[in-house]
Amino acid sequence: MTNTISHLYIIGNGFDMHHGINSSYFEYRMWLKDNYEDLYWKIVNLFCVDDESNESIALLENRQHPWWKSFENSLGDLDLAEIVDNCVFENYPDISSDEFRDRDYHAAEIDAELQLGKLVDNIKSTFKRWISSLNAPEISKKIFLFKRNSLFISFNYTDTLEKLYSISTESICYIHGKANNDEELVVGHNKSWEDLMEIADNTPVPPESCDTPEELEEWYSTHGDFITDQTRDVAVREYLKLAKNPSKVISDKQWLFDNLDNIMKIHIYGFSFSDVDLPYIKYLISIISSQALWEISYYSESEKEDFLKTMQSLNVQQEKVSFVKLKDMMLSNLLQLSLDFKNE
């Protein structure tokens, strides 16, 4: 990058939705049920998603079912402990059997690897196919963007900025990848290895009578199980492949963040400040000038209040933050305002 970057745009899914693209997670749910019903029911059953009751159907019709609305966060709620237990129960080796082989010690691990590996691969592949099938943006919904000396970090997987706004690829960082090429998309939950190990931990709770370190150590030594431990490690390793890893992404994109020294205004459009993606905002705040101004788009007053609380929790001064609705920035509306002003 040769030009000094003064404007930074953070583009989230609300930006695409403003342009009439059916890119909400609700739409992925509907597309998945229509095109990959087996996977849809697999997800519903594994995650105990109650979206078939009358009440849930009403919520879905309003695009508000909580599990699908927070799809990526929700993916972190998989009951890995139950999956590990089932794999071990169904594949525990019978050492006394004449048919026993050493490889039987690893049958539970293999089962967990196959089950979770297939789940992760299917979610990733169908998600990319869904993104590639999305409708084109509506030209009439275009908004005003500063293009000169601007950099765009897109959390979307679509090429709306390129196709609709003619912004060069060199000025856009698709932080989690782009659907219409061969790269793998970064999509998933925000759980770490440690988080998933805790979720997958199905070790029995010691009795209250074990109240000294020595007694606890002896109790755990007699209640551990090598096969269960190994299966748990495999399950966590496989499901970690469906995790977003902001630290790794930031490290891989360090060339980008090294060019933000002179940023004086950050425009955050259509970004939800979800737990999965919030680490990027935290990192940005740590490297840019404290004098930088923040402009954040919002859809509802409650969303505006939530965003303001989030920025305050990140120690961004309130006077540095302003809010805007994307519909008010549409070129058609701005043109009309300009005409009204000239006619006054």
Side-chain angles (χ1 to χ4, degrees):
M1 298 181 188
T2 56
N3 296 329
T4 300
I5 305 300
S6 55
H7 288 268
L8 174 65
Y9 284 87
I10 307 296
I11 303 297
N13 191 36
F15 182 83
D16 274 358
M17 292 172 65
H18 162 80
H19 289 88
I21 300 175
N22 298 322
S23 57
S24 71
Y25 290 132
F26 169 84
E27 302 296 343
Y28 172 62
R29 182 260 186 200
M30 299 298 292
W31 179 90
L32 194 64
K33 190 174 184 181
D34 288 343
N35 295 276
Y36 296 91
E37 191 171 6
D38 288 346
L39 177 59
Y40 164 77
W41 285 112
K42 181 76 171 178
I43 291 173
V44 166
N45 293 326
L46 275 177
F47 291 89
C48 301
V49 184
D50 177 25
D51 67 356
E52 294 298 320
S53 66
N54 290 336
E55 181 180 358
S56 295
I57 289 172
L59 288 170
L60 283 167
E61 288 174 349
N62 291 306
R63 274 66 170 167
Q64 291 297 319
H65 190 282
W67 195 93
W68 293 99
K69 184 178 180 181
S70 302
F71 173 66
E72 289 188 290
N73 283 332
S74 298
L75 288 174
D77 297 331
L78 182 63
D79 192 344
L80 286 174
E82 182 178 3
I83 291 175
V84 170
D85 281 342
N86 289 339
C87 289
V88 172
F89 177 78
E90 294 173 5
N91 298 278
Y92 208 87
D94 182 0
I95 301 176
S96 63
S97 171
D98 292 338
E99 298 179 358
F100 171 78
R101 299 292 184 272
D102 286 347
R103 63 174 177 269
D104 294 341
Y105 280 121
H106 304 286
E109 300 171 42
I110 295 171
D111 190 13
E113 181 178 17
L114 291 175
Q115 283 192 44
L116 290 169
K118 183 178 180 180
L119 176 67
V120 169
D121 289 344
N122 286 343
I123 289 176
K124 284 188 171 184
S125 62
T126 58
F127 191 84
K128 186 169 186 176
R129 289 178 196 134
W130 168 65
I131 294 292
S132 298
S133 74
L134 291 175
N135 58 297
E138 298 177 19
I139 298 177
S140 62
K141 298 292 184 66
K142 285 184 68 173
I143 67 172
F144 174 77
L145 298 176
F146 290 99
K147 295 184 182 181
R148 184 179 177 83
N149 297 334
S150 293
L151 178 66
F152 297 79
I153 299 179
S154 178
F155 283 78
N156 299 338
Y157 307 98
T158 61
D159 53 5
T160 304
L161 291 171
E162 294 176 65
K163 285 193 173 180
L164 188 60
Y165 290 88
S166 300
I167 295 171
S168 66
T169 306
E170 291 75 19
S171 297
I172 306 171
C173 172
Y174 293 95
I175 199 79
H176 292 146
K178 189 167 64 168
N180 60 354
N181 57 30
D182 295 331
E183 66 181 316
E184 182 178 352
L185 302 184
V186 179
V187 59
H189 56 79
N190 65 338
K191 295 294 192 292
S192 65
W193 172 274
E194 292 75 17
D195 294 331
L196 294 179
M197 285 298 289
E198 183 176 349
I199 293 172
D201 189 0
N202 48 10
T203 305
V205 178
E208 294 182 1
S209 59
C210 296
D211 55 3
T212 68
E214 292 77 18
E215 290 174 333
L216 285 171
E217 182 178 356
E218 181 180 356
W219 188 90
Y220 278 114
S221 67
T222 58
H223 287 77
D225 181 83
F226 173 78
I227 291 174
T228 300
D229 291 345
Q230 291 298 105
T231 304
R232 183 187 303 117
D233 287 348
V234 168
V236 168
R237 183 193 69 204
E238 287 301 310
Y239 204 58
L240 197 62
K241 295 176 182 177
L242 194 60
K244 283 183 173 177
N245 187 340
S247 296
K248 183 179 185 305
V249 174
I250 289 171
S251 176
D252 292 343
K253 310 285 187 182
Q254 196 58 54
W255 57 268
L256 164 75
F257 296 102
D258 287 343
N259 283 276
L260 305 181
D261 295 344
N262 297 300
I263 292 292
M264 292 311 298
K265 191 158 188 178
I266 302 97
H267 311 265
I268 302 183
Y269 292 167
F271 188 77
S272 65
F273 291 90
S274 68
D275 291 340
V276 174
D277 294 325
L278 194 58
Y280 297 101
I281 303 300
K282 292 180 178 178
Y283 183 72
L284 279 173
I285 291 172
S286 73
I287 62 173
I288 64 173
S289 169
S290 60
Q291 299 305 308
L293 302 177
W294 298 75
E295 180 188 55
I296 304 173
S297 74
Y298 70 100
Y299 185 76
S300 65
E301 287 301 319
S302 61
E303 191 175 63
K304 178 181 177 180
E305 292 175 7
D306 289 341
F307 291 169
L308 180 57
K309 289 178 182 177
T310 298
M311 296 303 286
Q312 289 174 333
S313 71
L314 298 175
N315 297 317
V316 176
Q317 297 175 3
Q318 185 170 340
E319 58 268 24
K320 302 294 184 184
V321 182
S322 62
F323 292 91
V324 65
K325 288 191 173 184
L326 293 182
K327 67 177 184 179
D328 295 334
M329 300 179 62
M330 288 168 51
L331 296 180
S332 57
N333 289 339
L334 293 176
L335 177 59
Q336 185 61 50
L337 284 174
S338 176
L339 292 174
D340 292 343
F341 178 78
K342 289 181 179 179
N343 292 330
E344 287 183 357

